[in-house]
Amino acid sequence: MKEHWNDVYESTEVKTLGWYEDKPTLCLQLLAKCDIEKSDPVLDVGAGASTFIDCLLDEEYTNIIATDISEMALNKLKERLGVRKASEVKWIVDDIAKPAYVCKLENIAVWHDRAVLHFLLEKDQIQTYFSTLKKIVRNDGYVLIAAFSLKGAKKCSGLDVKNYDSNMLTENLGEEFHLIEPLNHDHRMPSGDIRPYIYTLFQRQR
Ligand SMILES: C[S@@+](CC[C@H](N)C(=O)[O-])C[C@H]1O[C@@H](n2cnc3c(N)ncnc32)[C@H](O)[C@@H]1O
């Protein structure tokens, strides 16, 4: 998987990637609903070279953690940000389905994942994803997950995906996580094609 994603980011201009967004408007709208301080830890899981991190910096979040299985993706993001802005972000290369570092984080206020969970196909990978999330997201913390919806694409970047609805995410997260907002959204790819997503925001309340 690491090789696959490194190849993708090495061979493709970021702005032409199917999942690219000039501005991650929906995620920013959902983030704005989270009652957190700008200094609270926000974790972007499978950040890729997404503009979400640029926007967090612009909005003066000061405790940003970007993780991805692909160092190539994170390097592209660092290059775009430039040395000064990149130094304000904590960078972690890790596999979220088999984490060595992310699982050691604590008190995460916001877990943000756009278009990553749906690439995990094996039961144990999905279990590890959710057990890591439950270990590191603080009580009262938020979980923002955007995945291909049930009527969405069955493949992305040449890989099979698992499609989700808000009930499936609720079930995986368990009773402690309360669904604040489910949103259906059609993402228009740079090619003009449409990819239906389900966006969800949960809050943990033990
Ligand atoms: C479709 S891209 C989405 C990137 C970004 N979240 C966005 O919205 O632009 C999927 C990202 O997940 C990363 N990824 C895939 N499998 C992963 C895994 N097991 N652990 C961590 N990152 C993974 C890929 O390297 C890629 O950057």
Side-chain angles (χ1 to χ4, degrees), residues 5 9 19 45-48 50 68-70 73 94-97 114-116 119-120:
W5 289 105
Y9 283 99
W19 50 89
V45 176
S50 149
D68 201 284
I69 198 169
S70 162
D94 209 357
D95 179 349
I96 200 61
R114 174 173 175 272
V116 185
F119 289 107
L120 308 184

Side-chain angles (χ1 to χ4, degrees), residues 9 13-30 44 46-55 77 80 112-115 144 146-148 183-191 193 195-199:
Y9 283 99
E13 166 64 31
V14 168
K15 288 189 174 185
T16 66
L17 292 167
W19 50 89
Y20 178 77
E21 296 177 298
D22 275 333
K23 193 165 184 190
T25 310
L26 262 189
C27 285
L28 293 173
Q29 278 172 10
L30 292 174
D44 192 4
S50 149
T51 50
F52 186 64
I53 300 288
D54 311 49
C55 294
L77 178 46
R80 187 178 68 230
H112 169 267
D113 162 355
R114 174 173 175 272
L144 198 175
F148 282 176
L183 287 169
N184 286 300
H185 173 66
D186 286 338
H187 166 64
R188 184 177 292 278
M189 298 164 72
S191 64
D193 288 352
R195 286 279 182 272
Y197 276 74
I198 173 76
Y199 277 68

